Amino acid sequence: MHKLLSLAAMVLAVGVLGMPMGQASEPMHFYARPANGLALTPPMGWNSWNHFGCHVNATLIEREARAMVSSGMKAAGYRYVIIDDCWQGTRGPHGNIHPDPKRFPKGMKALADYVHSLGLKFGIYSDAGAETCQGRPGGRGHEYQDALTYARWGVDYLKYDWCNTGGERPRTAYATMADALHAAGRPVVFSLCDWGVRKPWRWGAAAGGNLWRTTPDIWDAWRGHHGFALGMLNILDRQVGLAPYAGPGHWNDPDMLEIGNGGMSEAQYQAQFSLWALLAAPLIAGNDLAHMDAQTRAILTNREVIAVDQDRLGIEGRPVYRHGAAEIWVRPLTGGREAVVLLNRGAEPLSIRLTWAELGLPEYLPLRLRDLWRHRDLPVATRAVRFDVAPTSVIMLTETPVRPGRSE
Ligand code: GLA
């Protein structure tokens, strides 16, 4: 009886720990996949979904790739040109996936070659289920075959979605695709997209992922939601507590940038860019690069903010202060520096006092603060500095301890 009880307790425990309600259980035996050595800083690129949805074709992708170069985005560090859903046609008689022949008449290898010829990298999208979210053929049961096809085409980045998955187990399904990519022999950045439903930050790196979505899709708005999709602040709020899971080669992904898509103000888009950099998030632009205005380009190519995102330590920032609409987020950087975002979530102007205690530093320490949007050093200060932050906007800073001069 006692044995029976403890068996029942064990089954329950496994049920609770390994199989949250309504999900398939993961096998007991699972081994962590070795890191693929890629994405040592968060990936930077462009993805077709946020602006173009299903309207993708080779001419569009070539145009956007060219614009990534001519706009200065490549020079600022953007590399991956990623086609999201709807590129797929059908599978051939032997199960090989083919792109939609009308949209991609020369095939995917020709398009990848073109993207590579610009010094950029080529990414595509598939899905762990039988069909993608838009009903195109998914990868289930074709993982090794698809990985070989992608390697033949020259794919450098794969976003792998979770629609139409039925009974699959996320950790094993994603690990299977990671194994297939590894076996195909071409280095591929692997992006998991289960919308954060099964807490992929806990197992995404072990399943071979370089990044994993932490939330449902982003909606191009300051806050609120639109069906399944969440406004920018709603996404931000869901990143709290996830920082320990990120690091070089494996990143939390709060979804793509909306900068330039029209739903937010310039200040609000600066806020998204600042906060995503603070979070060490992948910087994947989602606008029409070929037709962006000067403001959008200036935000996306702000090198001081990008340098925060790409900081080699790879430590994700976190909130250190919240009061009403005011928040302060801090991220440690190389060289004993820190990045700081002062966020005003509300519709009224706010005065926010940044104290050295929030930075984890003694108040006597002289700090040099630099404003990363105004590109300006502020006077050396001790103890605290007060900032006026406009409605629904941020001020982004770095702090550097002032070192004694050599001549002293
Ligand atoms: C899901 C993903 C999106 C996008 C679409 C494509 O919703 O979360 O980012 O890839 O599918 O259908």
Side-chain angles (χ1 to χ4, degrees):
M1 187 62 191
H2 183 69
K3 265 197 175 155
L4 263 182
L5 272 178
S6 54
L7 186 68
M10 203 175 86
V11 169
L12 259 178
V14 170
V16 171
L17 294 173
M19 190 179 70
M21 295 289 282
Q23 290 169 28
S25 66
E26 295 283 358
M28 295 290 279
H29 174 66
F30 180 86
Y31 59 96
R33 271 48 176 185
N36 62 11
L38 303 174
L40 296 181
T41 60
M44 294 175 64
W46 171 87
N47 173 301
S48 55
W49 183 255
N50 280 0
H51 192 86
F52 297 99
C54 244
H55 302 287
V56 287
N57 59 63
T59 312
L60 169 83
I61 301 302
E62 288 174 7
R63 185 188 83 188
E64 295 297 309
R66 277 194 304 275
M68 190 183 275
V69 179
S70 62
S71 63
M73 288 189 56
K74 180 187 172 199
Y78 294 83
R79 283 291 176 281
Y80 294 94
V81 175
I82 305 157
I83 315 177
D84 208 276
D85 209 345
C86 303
W87 61 264
Q88 305 88 342
T90 51
R91 290 193 182 274
H94 302 294
N96 289 324
I97 187 74
H98 297 286
D100 182 322
K102 286 209 189 76
R103 295 163 178 238
F104 299 91
K106 292 191 219 146
M108 279 304 184
K109 176 152 181 11
L111 182 53
D113 286 349
Y114 181 77
V115 170
H116 290 149
S117 77
L118 299 173
L120 299 171
K121 293 189 175 286
F122 183 65
I124 56 169
Y125 159 103
S126 188
D127 188 288
E131 290 186 351
T132 70
C133 296
Q134 302 300 317
R136 305 302 195 274
R140 183 168 70 194
H142 294 276
E143 291 86 352
Y144 283 81
Q145 189 174 23
D146 286 352
L148 285 172
T149 303
Y150 299 157
R152 219 171 42 240
W153 289 346
V155 167
D156 307 298
Y157 182 113
L158 175 66
K159 172 175 169 183
Y160 215 49
D161 218 335
W162 193 248
C163 279
N164 304 303
T165 42
E168 285 90 334
R169 294 145 182 159
R171 193 178 61 176
T172 38
Y174 280 114
T176 300
M177 193 64 212
D179 290 345
L181 292 170
H182 180 72
R186 187 179 169 88
V188 176
V189 171
F190 190 33
S191 156
L192 317 188
C193 182
D194 92 325
W195 320 295
V197 172
R198 291 153 188 93
K199 300 189 173 29
W201 44 90
R202 289 188 178 165
W203 47 264
N210 295 109
L211 58 155
W212 45 82
R213 281 272 299 277
T214 54
T215 65
D217 292 5
I218 190 165
W219 175 47
D220 185 14
W222 181 246
R223 69 188 323 156
H225 66 95
H226 186 70
F228 174 72
L230 297 176
M232 201 270 289
L233 289 185
N234 303 60
I235 293 215
L236 177 71
D237 291 342
R238 294 193 183 202
Q239 309 314 308
V240 178
L242 304 189
Y245 298 97
H250 51 96
W251 308 101
N252 290 309
D253 174 8
D255 206 4
M256 300 173 286
L257 302 169
E258 287 288 11
I259 297 152
N261 280 336
M264 289 189 253
S265 69
E266 184 187 6
Q268 292 172 344
Y269 283 140
Q270 286 181 348
Q272 190 191 12
F273 205 60
S274 305
L275 289 159
W276 264 228
L278 205 287
L279 290 168
L283 296 180
I284 309 292
N287 59 316
D288 180 357
L289 302 182
H291 297 104
M292 64 179 155
D293 58 25
Q295 285 176 351
T296 301
R297 184 183 306 128
I299 296 172
L300 289 171
T301 59
N302 183 328
R303 288 174 190 238
E304 297 198 65
V305 178
I306 291 171
V308 170
D309 182 74
Q310 297 288 300
D311 186 83
R312 296 253 149 212
L313 276 186
I315 300 176
E316 181 174 326
R318 53 196 96 191
V320 296
Y321 172 83
R322 311 181 113 175
H323 182 74
E327 285 180 15
I328 301 176
W329 291 66
V330 175
R331 173 177 177 183
L333 301 174
T334 46
R337 297 166 306 129
E338 289 176 303
V340 182
V341 174
L342 309 174
L343 167 64
N344 179 356
R345 302 168 67 105
E348 302 299 326
L350 266 186
S351 168
I352 303 181
R353 187 161 175 268
L354 173 68
T355 68
W356 279 205
E358 279 134 13
L359 298 172
L361 295 172
E363 57 179 26
Y364 60 79
L365 193 71
L367 295 182
R368 184 180 306 288
L369 297 177
R370 181 169 173 79
D371 185 322
L372 303 192
W373 287 106
R374 289 171 192 82
H375 304 293
R376 225 177 31 210
D377 284 338
L378 308 178
V380 172
T382 54
R383 195 183 303 265
V385 181
R386 189 171 277 287
F387 291 87
D388 292 325
V389 190
T392 64
S393 72
V394 299
I395 289 178
M396 186 168 191
L397 309 161
T398 48
E399 62 84 353
T400 312
V402 179
R403 295 172 178 98
R406 277 166 194 258
S407 57
E408 286 168 325

